[in-house]
Amino acid sequence: MNHQLLAKIKGNPQLPSLPAVAVRVLELAKQTNASLATVAKVISSDPALTAKVLKTVNSSFYGLPHQVSTISHALVLLGMQTVKTLALGFSLAGSLNSRKSSHFDYVRFWRQSLFSAVAARTLAKMLRTGEPEEAFLAGLLSDIGTLAMHRGLGADYDILLEKCGGDQVELVRLSREKFDLDHAQVGGALAEDWKFPPAMVEPIRQHHALAKTGNGPIGLVEIVYAGVLCGQVFAAKRAGLLERAKRELSTRFKLENAKILAIFKEIDSHTEELADLFEVTIQPGRGYLEIEQEARQTLIELTLQTQFQSQELARQNERLQQRAATDGLTGLANRSGFAQFLENAFADFRNSGTTFSLLLLDLDKFKSVNDAHGHQAGDEVLQRIGRLLRSLIEPGDLAARYGGEEMALVLNRKDCAGAMAMAERVRAAIQSERIIFEGKSIPVTASVGVATAASQAGFGSPDDLIGAADRALYAAKEAGRNCVRHCALARHRGAA
C-alpha cells in the first residue's frame, strides 16, 4: 500500500469533516452508560437532523405501528443503536453533499452507497447476526474512499471511475495497479481517523477483499462484503454481477435461491424510499425484475456465443483434419486419408457384405514429362489430373494420391461391372484432357487396375485388396498401358 499517497489524500483540505453532532454521537457510542436522555439531547440540538431521523423512523423502512414525534420516543421504540446510527448516517450524508464537484458522479456514488447499505442491513436481519444498523452504516460509508480519492487525485482517478463502469471490484484492481492504493483502504483509514469503533472500520476497509475467510461465525465484515456485492447488482451496469452476488450468498451463507430472491426484492423495495429520506438522487436506477431479465438475456447470449464458439471450433478441427488428410499439390486425399477411408469401407464390407471397389491408376511414363518439360510441368499435370478425378467421382467416394504419379479411387457400392465402367471413363477422360504448359501440349494417359470386394471375395484385409488392384495395374501396363484390367477376386490371383 502506498502510505505516502494515503497521507496526501487524508491531508487534503477538501475532504469532508465530521459535523459536530456526529462527533458527539460517536463519543456517546463508546460510552456504555450513556443515557437515552443524553443521546436525545445531542441529536435534538440539530433540528434538521432531528426531522430526518423522525421522518425515517416513521417510514415503512421501520414499519412502526404508531407515529413517533420525538427522538426520545424513537430511542425507546427502536433502541439507542438504531437511532445513533441514523443520526450518524444523516449527518455524514449532509457533510458529503456540502461541497459537490461537477467532475464527480454523485448520483452513481449515492446509488452504490445506499444500495450497499440497505443490502448489508437486509442481510444482517435475515441472518440474525450482528447489528443491522451497524451493517447499514458501514455499507453506507463503504464507498467513501472513492470521494476522497477523487478529491485528492482528481482526473487521474476519475478516469478509473469511468473505466470500471461501476464495478467496484474492477475499480479496486485498476486503482492498485495505478496507485498501489484503493478506495477501500482509504475509506478504512478515514473511518479510523474519525474515531469509528474498530468493529465499523474493518467492514469498510475489507468490503472488497476479506482479510481472511473460514468457517467461523459470520461477522459484520462478511455481511458488509456481501452487501456491497448485492448493492452493485443494482448500482452498476455490468453483466455477471447478479450471478456473482448470488454465488457469494449461496456459498458463504448457505442461502437457498428463495431466500436470495427475497433479499434482492427487499433491497429493491426499500432503497428508493431511503434515497428520498436522505434527500439524494439515485436515478436512473434499475429494478430487480429488470436486472433478472438482463441476466437471463446475458445467459442466453453467452449460451449462443458458447454454441457458436463450439461450432466454430468444430469447423476449425474439421478443416485441420481435412488439411492433415489432404495432399497439398493435387487437393486429393493423401496416403493417410486414403488408408483411413479404405479401412472404414473394408469394415463395412466385413460387417454387412457391402460391395465396393478400388481403382489404382498410374500416369504412363510420367518420368518423361519431367525430363522433357521440367518438374513444374509435372506438378501442373498432377494438379490437373487431381481436379479431373475429383470431378468424376460420386458423393461418398474418395479420390487420393497414392504416391508420386499413382492415384487411387475408392468406389462405394460399385460391383465389378460398375467399377470397370468407371475405370474406363476415368482412363478416357485422362487421355482427352488437354494440358498446355508454357505453350506446349503435354499428352497424358493412364493405366488402371481394378479390384472389387464382394460377398464371394476372400480378402482378409485392406492390404489384400490393394495387392489385388496393384496386380491388375501391373497387368494393364504389361498389356501396353493406357488400358484397364480387373483382378479376378474369387480366384484371388493374377489379373484378367
Side-chain angles (χ1 to χ4, degrees):
M1 183 170 65
N2 191 334
H3 293 280
Q4 185 176 359
L5 185 60
L6 176 61
K8 176 185 174 182
I9 293 172
K10 287 166 57 178
N12 190 320
Q14 294 187 36
L15 280 185
S17 57
L18 284 181
V21 66
V23 173
R24 184 67 181 125
V25 170
L26 278 172
E27 290 174 353
L28 291 174
K30 297 175 186 176
Q31 299 175 15
T32 57
N33 58 348
S35 66
L36 294 180
T38 302
V39 175
K41 182 179 179 180
V42 169
I43 296 175
S44 299
S45 66
D46 187 329
L49 176 61
T50 299
K52 288 181 180 180
V53 171
L54 291 176
K55 187 177 180 181
T56 305
V57 168
N58 288 313
S59 71
S60 63
F61 194 68
Y62 286 96
L64 294 179
H66 305 290
Q67 286 287 104
V68 175
S69 57
T70 65
I71 295 296
S72 297
H73 192 189
L75 286 166
V76 171
L77 291 177
L78 294 177
M80 190 178 296
Q81 185 63 40
T82 296
V83 177
K84 285 192 296 185
T85 300
L86 282 175
L88 276 174
F90 281 121
S91 59
L92 287 171
S95 176
L96 295 178
N97 280 331
S98 63
R99 184 184 294 178
K100 290 191 174 182
S101 165
S102 61
H103 301 293
F104 187 76
D105 191 343
Y106 276 85
V107 172
R108 180 168 61 189
F109 172 80
W110 281 114
R111 194 163 57 226
Q112 177 66 50
S113 299
L114 287 176
F115 273 115
S116 295
V118 175
R121 182 178 183 271
T122 303
L123 273 173
K125 282 173 56 185
M126 179 169 284
L127 296 170
R128 298 178 181 178
T129 178
E131 287 287 346
E133 307 311 325
E134 287 183 349
F136 175 85
L137 185 57
L140 184 70
L141 297 178
S142 62
D143 219 26
I144 184 66
T146 61
L147 178 58
M149 292 186 78
H150 154 72
R151 291 185 178 176
L153 302 175
D156 287 343
Y157 187 69
D158 294 345
I159 291 172
L160 303 189
L161 286 171
E162 287 302 317
K163 191 173 182 180
C164 77
D167 185 343
Q168 300 291 290
V169 175
E170 177 67 5
L171 178 60
V172 167
R173 186 189 69 80
L174 292 173
S175 298
R176 289 181 179 177
E177 188 177 275
K178 185 173 180 64
F179 302 114
D180 189 25
L181 186 69
D182 64 68
H183 69 274
Q185 294 167 331
V186 173
L190 287 176
E192 212 166 30
D193 286 355
W194 288 342
K195 308 301 181 185
F196 271 53
M200 293 285 293
V201 173
E202 286 310 308
I204 297 172
R205 180 177 284 134
Q206 297 184 41
H207 74 275
H208 285 310
L210 297 178
K212 62 178 181 178
T213 57
N215 297 320
I218 298 171
L220 189 60
V221 173
E222 288 82 8
I223 293 290
V224 174
Y225 172 80
V228 170
L229 285 180
C230 293
Q232 284 184 63
V233 171
F234 296 90
K237 294 186 177 180
R238 280 261 180 136
L241 295 178
L242 177 59
E243 292 309 311
R244 182 203 292 173
K246 282 183 172 181
R247 187 167 56 249
E248 183 69 25
L249 295 179
S250 174
T251 56
R252 182 172 297 280
F253 305 123
K254 306 296 185 280
L255 293 178
E256 297 177 353
N257 191 62
K259 285 192 174 181
I260 293 174
L261 177 62
I263 288 171
F264 280 109
K265 285 185 175 179
E266 186 167 341
I267 296 169
D268 188 15
S269 65
H270 283 315
T271 304
E272 188 171 344
E273 179 185 15
L274 196 66
D276 291 336
L277 297 172
F278 270 78
E279 298 179 356
V280 296
T281 301
I282 63 170
Q283 298 297 328
R286 299 187 301 162
Y288 180 71
L289 293 178
E290 179 187 350
I291 293 168
E292 274 278 29
Q293 180 60 36
E294 285 182 13
R296 283 195 292 270
Q297 184 61 36
T298 300
L299 181 61
I300 291 171
E301 291 172 358
L302 288 174
T303 301
L304 291 175
Q305 184 179 5
T306 301
Q307 290 176 349
F308 173 79
Q309 290 173 342
S310 298
Q311 291 169 356
E312 180 60 26
L313 182 60
R315 285 192 290 268
Q316 289 178 1
N317 288 336
E318 185 177 353
R319 287 194 291 267
L320 288 173
Q321 290 173 358
Q322 289 176 347
R323 194 176 302 165
T326 301
D327 177 63
L329 178 64
T330 64
L332 302 176
N334 59 19
R335 184 69 173 265
S336 174
F338 163 75
Q340 184 61 56
F341 190 90
L342 182 64
E343 184 176 334
N344 293 339
F346 198 83
D348 289 342
F349 161 68
R350 293 294 298 270
N351 293 333
S352 60
T354 305
T355 298
F356 77 100
S357 295
L358 171 64
L359 278 59
L360 286 182
L361 64 92
D362 195 15
L363 300 183
D364 297 327
K365 298 182 179 179
F366 183 75
K367 185 176 182 300
S368 63
V369 175
N370 287 330
D371 292 342
H373 304 282
H375 286 282
Q376 286 185 333
D379 288 348
E380 176 67 19
V381 170
L382 292 173
Q383 288 173 342
R384 291 285 295 275
I385 299 303
R387 286 198 293 270
L388 176 63
L389 294 179
R390 290 201 303 274
S391 70
L392 291 174
I393 62 172
E394 298 176 0
D397 294 345
L398 179 79
R401 185 180 182 188
Y402 190 67
E405 67 274 17
E406 213 171 357
M407 314 292 181
L409 300 181
V410 182
L411 311 176
N412 282 309
R413 303 185 184 280
K414 281 285 193 299
D415 59 11
C416 179
M420 288 295 289
M422 181 63 174
E424 180 57 34
R425 183 184 174 196
V426 168
R427 184 206 64 78
I430 291 174
Q431 184 178 16
S432 301
E433 186 77 1
R434 188 166 180 265
I435 300 175
I436 306 296
F437 182 77
E438 293 183 348
K440 296 180 181 180
S441 178
I442 304 176
V444 180
T445 62
S447 301
V448 186
V450 181
T452 301
S455 58
Q456 74 274 20
F459 296 122
S461 69
D463 287 341
D464 291 341
L465 187 64
I466 293 172
D470 194 51
R471 289 194 296 275
L473 174 59
Y474 181 77
K477 291 180 180 181
E478 286 290 300
R481 294 188 172 86
N482 192 24
C483 63
V484 176
R485 291 293 182 269
H486 185 276
C487 178
L489 299 181
R491 295 185 312 239
H492 207 230
R493 48 183 188 268

